[in-house]
């Protein structure tokens, strides 16, 4: 009912380039998270897809049909904004029925559709409430209902949960996931919260400074970042320089055997996630362990983060071990299978 | 089509706003300007000489009188309105709606109704034909206006700043002087300007209470219009709008372009 | 922008002592009740025939009923209502269009915004004088008409001041009040309008629907309030109709002042009574308009 395809979008504000060469395909019924830090250009892309902003270059296709030149009211895509932006002069059901009324649906049909959507978004009984009498979570649900009731081919959500407190956010995530899978609406879900992106969708697109850096499953982005920037965005702090030689990645931290033998003789950068480094406090040298000294530690609940100084450089380690203290001598093991060597 | 309309809008506004002043300006410099000429037959500074010199500085005296009345009205309005607006903007209490209505009435009820009622009472109090009396009657509508402007300011004012300053060791008096006052200052200036301009353009209430003894600029201008000397009337009119322009320029420069929306 | 909720939080948390609230409010309330309320009260007393020295025993509605039954009163009332209603309506309609056009323009051209503020600060009297110079029979417009060969003498020019339709008065008011209403609307449009319009577009509202269902309801409270203020002002103002109006019929404020300042001292209470009637009518108009709006809103009627 609605496959969305963004081709080569380049967007400027005035002369200022904001998004460059953005490509993304979303299958019919799929939900994709567009993830990126604040200011990356996420809202800008959504506005372009919705038609509120014209791209400098590129095309937007819904089910293979170019809609790039259609005004927003002619596009089968509805956007939900970061703020609920409910019409303050209408009550809840008037807000929800707005799009239907604009479309010219009869009062009867509107009432039925609104009743159905109120139940779906768990707003039963609130139809006649004034907008300012609702809590933040309820307001955002009304905004969701107001978009869903139109049964659009494409749903665009711009950080709809960012104004809610943590508990409510979790509840709203479940609600959105449930409704999305029930209705099968093709959805582009924008967020700046990496954890949220990873749990909301099968595929995540990471946007940094207006450029699409990686698209893939949450696991791929987390464990196989495409480049150091992506790794850094997901909290990877350890970067290791080295050289490829005969199936071995040679570094100051020791040689790491690699499976794919390629790029012989080339300098490469690799990363290893802090939680993948094994830390032992036993003394007694072990052949594949690096000696080091704990510089400082920080308790983070489930684990402790330790900054460990090794002869060849500093590494950040996330370990379930407790009782570490500064100055303590430790040994680190970097499992070769956890080393991610970036392509050139 | 739309682009053309938009492009024409700015010049259209400029002409519509500028034309009356251009007309007054040319008239004030006309020595002789008979129908049907589009341009004066003779130019001259007679009207301006009259404004600055003749008639014993009549215009200068009226200007001083007007400035004095409007300044006094504006200052009293702001000083009295400030605490009231703070109470209305920051706290919820019973009777607030009643007070709101009470303050709305003087804004909409024409001053002449009030001035006629007050006149007799002022005569008995010895306030008729006095400076204080005229300021008092101007206060009836300038003060509520100032309260409304400052009420809006205090609705957007966060008193937590004051608590913060108190917890950092400032005394209540210092908090008012060094935290509240700077924060509401732009609003205070706008309120003062409103009150000044309202008082500045008052004619009838000044005439009724001032009884012709207190000749402010509008009172003088009315008298001149009766005499039919157009160049002089035009020149006095220009003198009459000058402070308004100064106020506008001042607000544009010092209030960060905060608009005077709401001024009447 | 200060967070509007910031003050609200503090407001609900904080309870000022009754005493300190009273101290803050009292000076302003005393001034308003004493001067404004006192003026109206004394006006009513004098309208009821009270004279200084005489007690309150001889109060009667004679002056009011004399005013009321004067056939000229109704004519004056009609004229006043006509001027106020037409001025307000014309200014309001033009202001809506101007605000919409300017909301696109203002960000780019601050100068336009500035120029638009000029009329706000100019006294009505000055504009009345300028309008007189422009459209009187020997005024600028008549001279342009003569130059174009349309008229030969001032007498050929249609009467636009001191005229039957009060063109000059209405023109003055419209010139003065358009910026007042427009800037009130612009403030609203700029704060809330733009984002809501984007929402409307994505919810499939076309240009007319966005105007009808989003713009109008958004600006309606401000438009209503501004129009009421304009109506009240134009209904009760003296200078402009005195200068640009006919000698007969007069508007109510001019009529009231004529009586009040009559050498025949017996006419004075009638002038005061008329002033009170004007005040009553303006207040009644405002109260009615507000009650109607509130009732409509309670019924869930949007706009
Ligand atoms: N109306 C605008 N005019 C100019 N620049 C803008 C405008 N809106 C956003 N930007 C800039 O474009 C960039 C991307 O903004 P946005 O799409 O809102 O980011 P995000 O939604 O990812 O936080 C930012 O650098 C922002 O400052
Ligand atoms: Mg954003």
């Amino acid at each position: 009912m609605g496959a969305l395809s963004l081709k080569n979008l380049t967007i400027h504000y005035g002369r200022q380039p904001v998004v460059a060469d953005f490509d993304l395909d979303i299958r019919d019924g799929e939900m994709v998270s567009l993830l990126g830090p604040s200011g990356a250009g996420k809202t800008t892309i959504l506005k372009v897809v919705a038609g509120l902003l014209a791209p400098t270059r590129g095309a937007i296709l819904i089910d293979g049909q170019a809609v790039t030149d259609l005004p927003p009211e002619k596009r089968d895509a509805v956007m939900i904004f970061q703020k609920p932006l409910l019409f303050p002069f209408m009550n809840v059901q008037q807000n929800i029925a707005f799009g239907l009324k604009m479309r010219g649906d009869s009062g009867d049909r509107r009432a039925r559709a609104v009743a159905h959507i109120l139940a779906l978004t768990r707003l039963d009984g609130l139809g006649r409430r004034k907008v300012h009498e609702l809590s933040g979570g309820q307001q955002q649900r009304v905004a969701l209902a107001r978009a869903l009731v139109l049964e659009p081919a494409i749903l665009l959500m711009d950080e709809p949960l960012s104004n809610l407190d943590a508990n409510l956010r979790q509840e709203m995530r479940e609600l959105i996931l449930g409704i999305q899978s029930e209705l099968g609406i093709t959805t582009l879900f924008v967020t700046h919260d990496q954890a949220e992106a990873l749990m909301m969708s099968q595929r995540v697109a990471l946007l940094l400074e207006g450029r699409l850096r990686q698209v893939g499953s949450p696991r791929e982005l987390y464990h196989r970042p495409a480049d150091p920037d992506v790794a850094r965005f997901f909290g990877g702090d350890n970067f290791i320089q080295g050289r490829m030689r005969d199936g071995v990645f040679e570094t100051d931290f020791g040689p790491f055997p690699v499976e794919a033998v390629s790029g012989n003789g080339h300098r490469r950068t690799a990363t290893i996630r802090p939680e993948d480094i094994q830390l032992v406090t036993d003394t007694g040298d072990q052949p594949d362990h690096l000696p080091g000294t704990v510089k400082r530690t920080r308790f983070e609940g489930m684990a402790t983060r330790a900054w460990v100084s090794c002869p060849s450089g500093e590494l950040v380690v996330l370990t379930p071990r407790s009782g570490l203290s500064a100055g303590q001598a430790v040994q680190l093991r970097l499992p070769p299978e956890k080393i991610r060597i970036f392509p050139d | 089509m739309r682009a053309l309309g938009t492009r024409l809008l700015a010049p259209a506004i400029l002409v519509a706003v500028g034309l009356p002043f251009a007309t007054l300006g040319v008239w004030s410099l006309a020595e002789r300007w008979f129908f049907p000429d589009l341009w004066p037959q003779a130019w001259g500074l007679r009207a301006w000489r009259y404004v600055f010199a003749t008639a014993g500085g009549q215009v200068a005296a009226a200007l001083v009188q007007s400035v004095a009345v409007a300044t006094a009205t504006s200052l009293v309005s702001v000083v009295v309105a400030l605490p009231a607006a703070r109470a209305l903007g920051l706290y919820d209490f019973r009777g607030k709606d009643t007070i709101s209505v009470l303050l709305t009435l003087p804004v909409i009820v024409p001053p002449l109704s009030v001035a006629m009622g007050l006149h007799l009472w002022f005569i008995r109090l010895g306030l008729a034909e006095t400076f204080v009396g005229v300021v008092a009657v101007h206060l009836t509508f300038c003060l509520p206006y100032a309260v409304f402007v400052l009420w809006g300011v205090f609705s957007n004012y966060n008193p937590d700043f004051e608590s913060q300053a108190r917890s950092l060791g400032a005394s209540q008096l210092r908090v008012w002087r060094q935290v509240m006052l700077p924060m509401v200052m732009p609003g205070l200036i706008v309120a003062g300007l409103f009150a000044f301009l309202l008082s500045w353009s008052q004619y009838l209430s000044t005439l009724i209470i001032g009884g012709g003894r207190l000749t402010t600029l509008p009172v003088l201008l009315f008298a001149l219009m009766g005499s039919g000397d157009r160049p002089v009337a035009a020149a006095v009119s220009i003198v009459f709008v000058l402070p308004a322009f100064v106020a506008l320029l001042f607000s544009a420069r010092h209030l960060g372009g905060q608009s005077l929306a709401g001024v009447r | 922008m200060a967070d509007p909720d910031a003050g609200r939080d503090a407001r609900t948390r904080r309870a000022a002592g009754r005493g300190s609230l009273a101290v803050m409010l009292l000076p302003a309330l005393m001034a308003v009740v004493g001067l404004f309320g006192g003026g109206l009260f004394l006006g009513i007393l004098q309208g009821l025939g009270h004279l200084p020295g005489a007690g309150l025993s001889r109060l009667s509605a004679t002056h009011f009923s004399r005013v009321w039954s004067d056939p000229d009163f109704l004519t004056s009332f009609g004229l006043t209502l006509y001027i106020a209603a037409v001025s307000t309506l014309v200014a309001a309609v033009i202001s809506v269009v101007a605000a919409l056009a300017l909301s696109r323009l203002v960000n780019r051209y601050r100068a336009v915004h500035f120029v638009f503020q000029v009329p706000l600060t100019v006294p009505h009297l000055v504009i009345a004088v300028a309008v007189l110079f422009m459209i009187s029979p020997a005024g600028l417009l008549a001279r342009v008409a003569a130059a174009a060969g349309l008229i030969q003498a001032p007498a050929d020019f249609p009467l636009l001041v001191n005229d039957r339709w009060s063109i000059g008065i209405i023109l003055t008011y419209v010139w003065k009040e358009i910026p007042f209403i427009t800037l009130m609307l612009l403030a609203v449009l700029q704060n809330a309008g733009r984002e809501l319009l984007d929402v409307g577009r994505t919810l499939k509202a076309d240009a007319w629907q966005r105007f009808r269902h989003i713009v109008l309801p958004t600006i309606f409270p401000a438009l209503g309030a501004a129009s009421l203020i304009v109506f009240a002002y134009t209904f009760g103002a003296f200078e402009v109709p005195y200068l640009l109006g006919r000698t007969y019929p007069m508007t109510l404020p001019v009529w009231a002042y004529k009586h009040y300042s009559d050498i025949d001292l017996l006419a004075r209470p009638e002038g005061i009574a008329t002033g009170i009637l004007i005040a009553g009518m303006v207040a009644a108009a405002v109260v009615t308009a507000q009650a109607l709006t509130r009732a409509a809103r309670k019924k869930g009627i949007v706009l």
Side-chain angles (χ1 to χ4, degrees), chain A residues 13 16 18 36-45 158-159 190 207:
Chain A
Y13 278 117
Q16 178 77 23
V18 175
S38 168
K42 307 180 297 293
T43 300
T44 306
I45 290 174
D158 190 6
E159 311 201 28
V190 162
L207 186 75

Side-chain angles (χ1 to χ4, degrees), chain B residues 1-81:
Chain B
M1 189 52 210
R2 163 167 290 171
L4 184 71
T6 314
R7 208 168 309 149
L8 286 180
L9 187 65
I13 290 174
L14 207 65
V15 170
V17 171
L19 202 58
F21 304 108
T23 310
L24 290 174
V26 173
W27 260 113
S28 77
L29 293 169
E31 203 76 38
R32 260 182 308 115
W33 191 5
F34 296 116
F35 190 86
D37 283 28
L38 274 174
W39 217 231
Q41 286 106 1
W43 300 78
L45 289 173
R46 181 185 64 82
W48 287 103
R49 267 197 298 274
Y50 175 89
V51 164
F52 286 116
T54 351
Q58 198 185 16
V59 179
L63 188 65
V64 170
Q65 193 70 270
S66 272
V67 170
V69 169
T71 306
T73 307
S74 158
L75 283 181
V76 176
S77 294
V78 168
V79 168
V80 177

Side-chain angles (χ1 to χ4, degrees), chain C residues 16-303:
Chain C
R18 245 162 224 275
S20 69
L21 272 182
V23 168
M24 291 158 91
L25 286 165
L26 222 53
L29 289 184
M30 268 167 36
V32 169
V33 171
L35 288 170
F36 175 78
L40 279 192
F41 177 71
L42 292 170
I44 293 172
L45 277 189
Q46 293 172 69
L48 290 172
H50 168 73
L51 287 171
L56 293 182
S57 50
R58 296 241 209 94
L59 296 190
S60 76
T62 350
H63 297 297
F64 278 102
S65 68
R66 274 245 285 289
V67 170
W68 201 250
S69 56
D70 189 329
D72 285 351
F73 179 83
L74 209 60
T75 321
S76 285
F77 171 74
L79 177 69
T80 317
L81 188 64
Y82 158 79
I83 291 174
V86 172
S87 304
T88 308
L89 198 69
V90 171
V93 169
I94 297 179
S95 295
V96 171
V97 177
L100 286 180
L102 280 174
S103 68
R104 293 204 191 86
L105 206 68
V106 161
N107 288 330
R108 274 182 293 155
Y109 305 103
R110 302 210 54 129
V112 177
H113 199 224
F114 178 80
V115 169
F116 223 68
Q117 291 183 40
V118 168
L120 295 180
T121 59
V122 177
H124 279 86
L125 184 50
V126 170
I127 293 315
V129 171
V131 163
L132 186 70
F133 288 0
M134 288 194 290
I135 65 171
S136 71
L140 211 59
L141 200 60
R143 291 164 196 252
V144 171
L150 294 174
I151 62 169
Q152 259 71 52
D156 301 340
F157 193 68
L159 203 55
L160 298 179
V161 294
N162 317 114
D163 59 315
R164 185 181 154 81
W165 297 108
S166 307
I167 305 282
I169 302 173
I170 292 171
L171 199 65
T172 306
Y173 284 146
V174 167
W175 188 91
K176 233 335 245 180
E177 310 305 352
I178 285 176
F180 171 71
I181 304 179
T182 302
L183 287 173
M184 298 259 279
L185 299 186
L186 262 183
V188 178
L189 277 179
Q190 228 117 35
N191 279 344
R194 202 167 294 270
E195 286 177 321
L196 288 185
L197 282 179
D198 274 353
V199 173
R201 296 196 80 173
T202 75
L203 293 174
K204 315 304 159 214
D206 63 30
W208 163 250
Q209 288 173 323
R210 291 197 297 274
F211 174 75
R212 170 66 189 82
H213 296 289
I214 300 175
V215 173
L216 268 189
T218 301
I219 63 177
F220 184 73
L223 181 64
S227 301
L228 269 184
I229 291 177
V230 168
F231 180 85
Y233 181 84
T234 48
F235 194 90
F238 172 84
E239 294 101 305
V240 181
Y242 184 76
L243 210 61
L244 300 180
R246 290 198 290 177
T247 41
Y248 181 90
M250 297 173 234
T251 66
L252 280 183
V254 177
W255 205 62
Y257 183 68
K258 266 264 149 55
H259 279 107
Y260 181 78
S261 58
D262 203 310
I263 13 174
D264 175 9
L265 282 183
L266 287 178
R268 179 173 268 226
E270 275 178 39
I272 297 179
T274 312
I276 294 300
L277 286 174
I278 295 173
M281 286 187 258
V282 168
V286 171
V287 168
T288 310
Q290 273 172 345
L292 282 179
T293 321
R294 202 165 303 151
R297 211 169 293 150
K298 204 165 267 173
K299 276 193 180 167
I301 298 171
V302 176
L303 179 69

Side-chain angles (χ1 to χ4, degrees), chain A residues 86-101:
Chain A
L86 303 180
F87 299 116
F89 38 82
M90 297 179 189
N91 65 20
V92 168
Q93 54 191 24
Q94 286 170 326
N95 259 287
I96 297 177
F98 183 88
L100 301 172
K101 195 171 167 189

Side-chain angles (χ1 to χ4, degrees), chain A residues 202-336:
Chain A
Q202 305 299 309
R203 279 207 303 153
V204 176
L206 180 68
L207 186 75
L208 297 175
E209 293 175 346
R211 286 182 184 275
L212 185 63
R213 301 297 279 269
Q214 191 170 359
V215 188
S217 71
R219 268 170 220 287
E220 269 173 345
L221 268 79
Y222 197 76
H223 292 298
R224 301 186 56 77
D227 58 51
D229 292 336
V230 177
R232 208 171 280 126
F233 184 80
F234 283 102
D237 294 313
N238 300 314
F239 294 100
I240 301 171
Q241 310 293 329
R243 196 180 287 276
M244 302 294 284
R245 186 155 316 185
D246 304 329
V248 173
F249 183 53
E250 292 181 343
T251 74
D252 293 350
F253 294 89
F256 298 99
V258 286
E259 288 160 16
V261 187
S262 67
N264 229 359
H266 287 175
R267 292 202 65 84
R268 290 289 177 78
T269 302
T271 187
I272 180 163
R273 293 199 58 83
E275 67 269 29
D276 288 339
I277 299 178
Q278 293 162 9
L279 180 147
V280 285
T281 47
D282 317 333
T283 44
D285 281 349
Q286 294 184 330
D288 57 347
H289 281 45
L290 296 162
T293 314
V294 175
K295 305 291 283 188
R296 59 192 173 99
T297 63
R298 189 168 73 208
F299 178 62
E300 292 185 359
M302 307 246 296
T304 299
R305 189 174 295 265
W307 283 260
V308 179
S309 171
C310 300
S312 33
E314 193 179 272
L315 290 171
V316 182
V317 183
L318 200 60
T319 172
R321 208 174 276 271
S322 54
L324 287 179
S325 58
Q328 193 173 359
V330 295
Q331 302 204 38
L332 303 180
R333 193 178 97 85
L334 281 53

Side-chain angles (χ1 to χ4, degrees), chain B residues 69-81 103 106-107 111 114 118 122 132-147 195 198-199 202 205, chain C residues 27-28 31-33 35-36:
Chain B
V69 169
T71 306
T73 307
S74 158
L75 283 181
V76 176
S77 294
V78 168
V79 168
V80 177
L103 292 171
V107 171
V114 182
L118 281 179
F122 274 19
V132 175
V134 171
V135 169
V137 76
H138 285 191
L139 277 179
T140 59
F141 45 91
C142 292
L143 173 61
Y145 235 107
V147 175
L198 270 176
S199 162
Q202 245 334 276
S205 61
Chain C
V32 169
V33 171
L35 288 170
F36 175 78

